[in-house]
Amino acid sequence: MGGEKLMDQAYLFNIGENFESYNFLGAHKSRENDQDGYNFRVWAPNAQQVTVFGSFNGWNKFEYFMHKDWATGIFSLFIPNLAPWTRYKYCVQQQNGNWVDKSDPFGFHFEERPGTATILSGEDDYQWNDADFCKNRKDALAAQPLNIYELNIGSWMKHWDGNFYSYRDLAQRLPEYVQEMGYNAVEFMPVTEYPLDASWGYQVTGYFAATSRYGTPNDLKYLVDCLHQKGIKVIFDWVPAHFPKNEVGLARFDGTPQFEYADALKGEQPSWGTYIFDFAKREVHSFLISSANFWIKEFHGDGIRVDAVSAMLYLDFDKPNGSVRNIYGGNENLEAIEFLRRVNSILRDRYPYCLLIAEESTAYPGITKSAQEGGLGFTHKWNMGWMHDTLDYYSLDYLYRVYHYHMLTFSLTYAFSENFVLPFSHDEVVHGKKSILGRQQGDLWRQMASVRSLYAWQIGHPGAKLNFMGYELGQFAEWNFNEQLDWHLLQYEHHAKLHNYIRCLNHIYLNEPALWTKEHDWSGFKWLQVNDAKNSVYAYARFANKKEDTLVFIFNNTPAVLEHYKLELPYYGQYDVILNSDDSEWFGSQNLDDFKSLQTSTLTEDIAAKDYAQTKKEFDKKLAKFSKEHAKMQKSLATLKEEYLELLHEQANYGRLLPMSLDEVKNLHYPELKYYNLPDLAMSELQELTAPYASTELTLPPLSVLILKYKGEAKTD
């Protein structure tokens, strides 16, 4: 790389415009003076000196001194005759004179913990086999199903001796499992390098490195490749909000707040014990945008889920209210907001298919509006309000659900304000919250029935879906990152049937256009029963572009059978039962095992139209007669009003020296004269009489959901 091009790369990095800075900074294969080796470059503007040391020189810290470009703050050095997989570190002499060992911020591979050295890895040597998948990716905002399986690689499945599955081990099992279970996307909890297992990956030290716990960068690419070949999207969890204080990482890299804010109030996240990126620095923009771009471009990612967006938006997040203010006196982090708009706009422009998902829990407006519209530019936002209300409702004893009926309906008041993902994530099955199944009340049968209803509620509600691994097994225990999922539960009938139920439900979601074609406005959703708190019954319809794709969801959230339940369906005709959660196939009570279809009134649409026309004709005849009598009365009333006004005029002037005119009297009595009138008949046309012909009566099993699909007009003899 020529000197002029290098300066261009450095300049772009300094001004926040180098979005592939990982190709410039860090360690890269090079050839200089007829020798093969590696070029090392690191940004450390306030460091006095920086050296490179490692396994290649016996870890001698003071042999290879780097050269500093004072204009850019970048140190560089070419070292010949280095082989891939060589370990190295930087030793940085900070402003106070101390020498501190540092990992490479742009390293592609690291030692396994507790080691912290960066490793030289081969570059551009993986041969991808996912071309067909990649060329068929749709725009992230196109109408399409999105059913996400959230996964922690280290605890999904382990070897018999407790060791992790490698990326390649996982590639042999995960893609087929996910495809068979009816998911079309996997979201990996952070795979960026991190030192502490207990952080689950959310305290990152290597923003360009696949964690070495499970293998090499190419091994992770192989896993992504295998998922793509099964038609599964890959979403990477990404953490730009904060980073840990580990001395070997980004913290005080050159001895000063280099990547983080200098102001401790603004620059630290006290609950997490981490530093917050200084989003005002353009180099930080280059660093982080390059990281996001890296996972999409180099690892063929289909999206990123941005962690802790609320912590980025608000300066006083998890701090005393008002303790930190922006230049206008508000608590919004204006620099972070600008950064989020930039990174989202850049990724959307480069990769229209890229899912940009915000984990954001506040009511900050416009999360999924474009930056041009004043929004942040995400394609999706986690619906945390829906999640809390839904889990809280389903955790209630059945007796008390009557009094909290509208906890489930409230979300529809804002369901279309953003492009939402409905998340039951890892955060909901840790820290004493219990597993999803463990939250349900009653004995095992009731718990299983309630959880089947819960997952159907998620599938039917507008919004993309996300569930954390293990929920499909019916785990009793919370998630433990040290152990694999409780796969042994599948040997028990109750759990095996729940597993099959989840698979069935997922495939219904993928295959039914009504569940994702129109999920961003009211044209795709209609309440059919939203006021039956007494019975805890809910019903709604979901619509697609074709009438025959219409689905109806009917929920009975009490453990009682409801017989002769009357309901108005969206159309008259026949509906097939495509899922009955109370079926014996799912460990139900078998109340309606033979219930395969239902039919509304046998009146056809033609008969209904004729009936309506006849009714309207009779009404119009009566209306015409009334209108004629009404006109006569209006005329008589006008005459009476004139006589009344003359009497008022005579009364007002009796005995007065200065008589009042007729107009003055009229103005004086204007209110009573104005309203001394006959009301007009506003109703000129009958409401269309279609709903009564779509009525039905059915039995609702206990703690159940019925999913019906419209099959067309009812058959008549």
Side-chain angles (χ1 to χ4, degrees), residues 12-224:
L12 290 173
F13 178 77
N14 287 146
I15 66 170
E17 296 292 336
N18 191 335
F19 308 139
E20 295 184 7
S21 53
Y22 55 86
N23 288 324
F24 169 61
L25 291 161
H28 298 275
K29 286 181 179 178
S30 184
R31 184 173 177 82
E32 293 187 11
N33 300 321
D34 296 325
Q35 289 183 299
D36 291 325
Y38 278 80
N39 253 311
F40 295 84
R41 299 186 191 92
V42 63
W43 177 60
N46 295 305
Q48 295 188 47
Q49 298 182 84
V50 180
T51 68
V52 185
F53 69 106
S55 58
F56 60 90
N57 74 336
W59 299 99
N60 182 348
K61 297 181 181 182
F62 303 110
E63 180 178 357
Y64 290 100
F65 283 81
M66 305 181 78
H67 312 293
K68 183 175 184 179
D69 184 306
W70 291 89
T72 63
I74 294 174
F75 287 80
S76 61
L77 181 68
F78 173 77
I79 302 179
N81 304 319
L82 296 183
W85 313 113
T86 298
R87 287 158 169 73
Y88 73 96
K89 290 184 180 182
Y90 296 120
C91 192
V92 179
Q93 186 182 27
Q94 300 179 332
Q95 284 290 307
N96 59 8
N98 291 338
W99 290 86
V100 178
D101 295 350
K102 290 287 186 180
S103 300
D104 192 338
F106 284 86
F108 294 141
H109 193 41
F110 287 84
E111 287 183 309
E112 285 193 57
R113 70 212 188 297
T116 56
T118 313
I119 299 176
L120 298 177
S121 64
E123 297 170 324
D124 302 325
D125 59 348
Y126 183 78
Q127 299 299 314
W128 289 90
N129 295 291
D130 62 349
D132 288 343
F133 175 88
C134 291
K135 73 180 181 182
N136 291 316
R137 288 185 286 200
K138 297 180 180 179
D139 189 287
L141 295 178
Q144 57 189 316
L146 181 57
N147 194 18
I148 304 169
Y149 187 65
E150 187 190 21
L151 182 78
N152 174 264
I153 290 179
S155 58
W156 186 70
M157 190 173 285
K158 293 191 175 186
H159 291 292
W160 65 270
D161 59 0
N163 284 325
F164 293 133
Y165 263 35
S166 69
Y167 295 124
R168 288 184 180 269
D169 290 334
L170 208 61
Q172 303 310 309
R173 288 179 175 262
L174 182 65
E176 185 175 353
Y177 176 80
V178 169
Q179 182 190 53
E180 180 189 346
M181 286 299 296
Y183 306 99
N184 66 350
V186 164
E187 181 180 304
F188 289 124
M189 291 173 67
V191 294
T192 40
E193 192 58 81
Y194 59 101
L196 181 64
D197 287 2
S199 76
W200 310 335
Y202 291 100
Q203 296 199 4
V204 181
T205 51
Y207 277 82
F208 300 86
T211 177
S212 57
R213 288 167 173 79
Y214 317 119
T216 68
N218 279 359
D219 293 338
L220 177 55
K221 289 179 181 179
Y222 176 73
L223 172 57
V224 174

Side-chain angles (χ1 to χ4, degrees), residues 268-286:
E268 295 192 32
Q269 201 59 260
S271 293
W272 300 332
T274 55
Y275 286 129
I276 298 171
F277 280 104
D278 184 347
F279 298 105
K281 288 183 178 175
R282 306 315 282 181
E283 293 90 350
V284 169
H285 280 226
S286 288

Side-chain angles (χ1 to χ4, degrees), residues 26 287 575:
F287 176 80
Y575 292 79

Side-chain angles (χ1 to χ4, degrees), residues 478-597:
E478 292 184 347
W479 171 53
N480 182 346
F481 71 91
N482 287 314
E483 299 177 2
Q484 71 169 6
L485 298 181
D486 294 336
W487 295 102
H488 66 278
L489 291 173
L490 293 180
Q491 66 185 298
Y492 301 104
E493 181 184 13
H494 304 152
H495 297 271
K497 287 187 173 183
L498 177 64
H499 194 248
N500 291 336
Y501 174 82
I502 296 296
R503 180 192 296 114
C504 176
L505 204 57
N506 284 341
H507 282 286
I508 288 174
Y509 171 69
L510 294 182
N511 295 329
E512 294 296 339
L515 296 177
W516 40 265
T517 301
K518 297 180 176 182
E519 64 179 359
H520 300 308
D521 59 62
W522 282 101
S523 67
F525 183 94
K526 180 183 179 181
W527 284 113
L528 304 176
Q529 178 56 271
V530 70
N531 286 305
D532 190 3
K534 177 183 177 182
N535 292 306
S536 295
V537 171
Y538 305 82
Y540 53 79
R542 296 296 309 273
F543 304 98
N545 294 321
K546 297 179 180 179
K547 194 173 181 179
E548 58 268 25
D549 288 328
T550 301
L551 297 182
V552 172
F553 286 71
I554 308 170
F555 294 83
N556 173 15
N557 282 339
T558 58
V561 177
L562 300 178
E563 296 182 339
H564 308 297
Y565 195 88
K566 295 181 179 179
L567 196 64
E568 302 291 343
L569 301 183
Y571 311 113
Y572 35 79
Q574 181 177 325
Y575 292 79
D576 284 353
V577 179
I578 62 173
L579 185 136
N580 171 12
S581 70
D582 192 55
D583 196 290
S584 57
E585 183 179 1
W586 319 124
F587 186 48
S589 66
Q590 308 176 43
N591 272 275
L592 293 175
D593 268 10
D594 297 325
F595 183 40
K596 303 303 180 185
S597 67

